[in-house]
Amino acid sequence: MVNKQLKKKAQEIGNVPPHYELEIEDYDQKQKKKGQAYFIWKDPEDPEKHITVELRHDGALLTFSTTVRSETDKKLPDAELKLMALQFAAANHPGTFMKFHFQGKEERGQHIRFIYTKMELGLPLSNSGFLIDMTRSGQIVHFLYYGEGHKAEVPKEFVAKERVVSHYLNTMSLQLMYDVIDGEQAPRLVYEPILPGYSYPADVDEIVPDQHIADERIENGAPLPPLQNTKEINIYAMLGLTSDMQKVSEKDFGEEIGSTWRKGTAPERKDLSIGSYFETRNKNTIKMKTDKKTGKLKAALSFMDQRNNRQCSTEECQRIALQFLYALYPRAAEFFRANPVRIDERGRVRNHFSVWYKGVPLRFGAARIIVNPETGMIDAFMAPDIDPERLETINHRPDVSAEEAKETFLAAFDVKLEWQPDFTAGSDQHYKLVYKPVYPSYIDAHIRKKKRL
């Protein structure tokens, strides 16, 4: 289809009201057989209302979503909603009934999601088929089509399950750590399994990956050096925030407030492409999130275009990151350890400070600070999920021994067959059959009770 036809079809699928404005019109046609068209319309009177449609080069629907809601209290039974979902999918992809199998439904707040996938050996192929979200009144608010062109080769001979279980249990270990479980507010002390990060091939002819178990949770890191420069640090100045910058937006994220600060005026959009959209929104801005209760900085991202002909060494960038960390956490030496720095593809220095307390790490708890050596400024910052000082309230001595925890884990461990994308085949549409470990995500170190995934 030509661009005008794609745009017209997208408007029809999205049922776009006449007064809506086109915000993004982007055509990715570098490869004719895989080209896509992407559109977003928004209500000029209410920016929170928008409609998104993505089409394949031949006009087939790939993605549809809308934040526009029809106002009705009508509630339809699940069977009727499921039929409406299939009708919508079949209207855009004929043959849906024959190609995909009903995988399940999920309650998602005010919506219900129906999932259909391609099956092989009675097992679903992930990221195949489609999913669709609907309101209880029958309005379709989200549709995502993965497709059917997936190849899955069934092994001629399977590896014995007992051999796979033995392989994992001979390589696993349990690590004592703090973790926030199931969205709870306070962290717990738990034992968490450390296992190889791969699934075992089910085909006897497949090679088992020789992968070293690397996990940042069990990398001790180095103690933080003392702060050399003890003068007061302005963290916002280190981000590049200046007095002439204006706050152009603010958004409520629940426990955090997001804000965007801009230097000068936003550049005019060159066109309606996605690249132009983000350039206009981001150029010469600093975006931050702060905790509502404490006002402490939780995250920051700089899109400032600034040059000062300064070239900092990696060691200088590390010192800048440490100054920033100590300014945010004066007791940083008690709770953080420094992991090896990495240089990203843009030459920036990525500093990673993991959280430890009383010799026990916090899972996924780290402060990440990216320093730009060309400016000496902080390009990005992300705080740990929780304030490290909260770990002081937890009993760091386990009541459950490591032997008891291991016994509980081994009793619950199992493996199951699953299709996984085979990226070695050169395409995410190739699948291979693997044994995937199934096990408790943690063993509570204070309560003799196991929990499965």
Side-chain angles (χ1 to χ4, degrees):
M1 281 188 174
V2 297
N3 293 351
K4 287 184 178 180
Q5 291 175 311
L6 290 170
K7 182 178 176 181
K8 182 179 179 183
K9 183 166 185 178
Q11 286 176 303
E12 293 171 352
I13 292 174
N15 193 24
V16 180
H19 71 284
Y20 271 43
E21 296 178 348
L22 189 60
E23 187 169 43
I24 290 180
E25 180 180 0
D26 194 279
Y27 302 94
D28 178 13
Q29 296 176 327
K30 295 178 182 178
Q31 297 179 339
K32 291 184 178 179
K33 292 184 178 180
K34 295 184 179 180
Q36 297 172 359
Y38 189 80
F39 307 90
I40 295 181
W41 286 269
K42 69 175 182 180
D43 185 343
E45 300 172 1
D46 186 352
E48 295 299 316
K49 292 182 178 180
H50 49 81
I51 298 169
T52 302
V53 180
E54 183 181 9
L55 302 177
R56 204 165 56 199
H57 73 284
D58 59 359
L61 179 63
L62 297 176
T63 306
F64 164 74
S65 65
T66 177
T67 59
V68 183
R69 300 290 181 266
S70 57
E71 297 181 4
T72 176
D73 295 329
K74 179 176 65 173
K75 290 187 177 182
L76 301 177
D78 287 2
E80 189 171 346
L81 292 173
K82 182 180 177 182
L83 178 60
M84 293 171 68
L86 275 174
Q87 289 173 337
F88 179 86
N92 290 281
H93 293 275
T96 295
F97 294 91
M98 303 297 294
K99 299 171 184 173
F100 306 123
H101 300 262
F102 178 63
Q103 183 65 23
K105 65 179 181 180
E106 299 175 359
E107 298 287 344
R108 305 179 70 84
Q110 298 178 338
H111 303 151
I112 183 170
R113 170 170 291 183
F114 296 98
I115 304 170
Y116 285 79
T117 61
K118 190 174 181 179
M119 305 285 285
E120 189 70 51
L121 291 181
L123 300 171
L125 299 181
S126 61
N127 296 337
S128 69
F130 67 92
L131 60 83
I132 189 164
D133 294 348
M134 307 177 71
T135 64
R136 282 293 177 181
S137 64
Q139 181 191 2
I140 295 167
V141 295
H142 181 62
F143 173 81
L144 177 59
Y145 184 75
Y146 292 108
E148 57 170 308
H150 299 77
K151 299 177 182 179
E153 293 189 13
V154 179
K156 294 180 180 179
E157 184 179 354
F158 285 74
V159 176
K161 180 178 178 180
E162 293 75 15
R163 176 180 168 186
V164 179
V165 171
S166 176
H167 171 83
Y168 279 109
L169 296 187
N170 287 335
T171 55
M172 64 79 61
S173 62
L174 291 176
Q175 172 75 25
L176 194 64
M177 62 183 67
Y178 304 106
D179 197 0
V180 178
I181 305 297
D182 298 334
E184 296 176 352
Q185 294 297 314
R188 296 193 207 176
L189 185 67
V190 299
Y191 291 98
E192 293 199 359
I194 306 297
L195 287 164
Y198 56 81
S199 295
Y200 200 103
D203 192 330
V204 293
D205 294 329
E206 286 278 345
I207 298 175
V208 179
D210 183 15
Q211 179 180 336
H212 173 69
I213 301 178
D215 194 313
E216 68 179 28
R217 295 173 294 172
I218 56 176
E219 292 179 1
N220 290 335
L224 293 192
L227 184 63
Q228 296 179 353
N229 185 355
T230 57
K231 69 178 183 179
E232 188 173 348
I233 299 295
N234 184 333
I235 59 171
Y236 299 104
M238 295 182 74
L239 288 166
L241 192 69
T242 56
S243 59
D244 59 340
M245 296 180 70
Q246 301 291 320
K247 183 162 66 173
V248 294
S249 68
E250 188 172 274
K251 187 172 182 179
D252 192 327
F253 289 98
E255 295 181 355
E256 298 171 351
I257 288 288
S259 60
T260 299
W261 298 77
R262 182 185 295 278
K263 189 180 187 69
T265 58
E268 292 186 9
R269 288 190 65 173
K270 301 173 184 176
D271 50 46
L272 292 177
S273 67
I274 295 175
S276 177
Y277 171 79
F278 283 109
E279 182 181 5
T280 301
R281 287 177 62 92
N282 295 335
K283 191 173 180 62
N284 283 329
T285 64
I286 296 176
K287 302 188 178 188
M288 297 183 287
K289 283 185 179 180
T290 54
D291 187 282
K292 277 185 180 179
K293 293 181 179 178
T294 65
K296 180 172 282 190
L297 185 68
K298 301 293 289 184
L301 192 59
S302 173
F303 296 93
M304 298 298 293
D305 185 13
Q306 51 192 354
R307 296 283 187 274
N308 58 12
N309 297 319
R310 179 180 181 183
Q311 189 62 43
C312 299
S313 65
T314 300
E315 291 72 22
E316 286 179 289
C317 290
Q318 288 178 275
R319 286 195 290 271
I320 291 169
L322 274 172
Q323 286 182 324
F324 192 79
L325 184 69
Y326 273 108
L328 284 167
Y329 303 96
R331 298 172 60 196
E334 298 179 47
F335 298 100
F336 290 96
R337 294 185 183 180
N339 297 99
V341 299
R342 292 180 172 87
I343 309 300
D344 68 14
E345 66 282 355
R346 294 166 56 185
R348 302 178 305 176
V349 180
R350 305 177 72 96
N351 299 269
H352 181 277
F353 302 99
S354 53
V355 176
W356 289 67
Y357 181 64
K358 299 292 186 181
V360 179
L362 172 66
R363 187 189 189 203
F364 302 137
R368 294 173 170 83
I369 304 172
I370 300 178
V371 181
N372 189 330
E374 294 183 358
T375 63
M377 296 289 189
I378 308 295
D379 269 7
F381 163 70
M382 182 173 290
D385 294 337
I386 64 168
D387 189 322
E389 292 185 12
R390 293 180 60 187
L391 299 178
E392 291 181 299
T393 64
I394 302 173
N395 179 5
H396 64 278
R397 294 185 176 85
D399 296 318
V400 177
S401 68
E403 291 73 19
E404 288 177 294
K406 186 172 184 179
E407 183 180 344
T408 300
F409 177 84
L410 294 179
F413 184 87
D414 198 3
V415 293
K416 68 175 183 179
L417 285 171
E418 180 179 281
W419 289 106
Q420 285 189 353
D422 182 10
F423 297 108
T424 59
S427 170
D428 58 1
Q429 292 190 333
H430 286 78
Y431 285 77
K432 66 178 180 181
L433 198 61
V434 299
Y435 286 101
K436 181 181 178 181
V438 181
Y439 51 86
S441 58
Y442 68 91
I443 307 295
D444 197 299
H446 289 140
I447 303 174
R448 287 177 170 80
K449 179 182 178 181
K450 67 175 182 290
K451 179 169 181 175
R452 295 186 66 89
L453 282 172

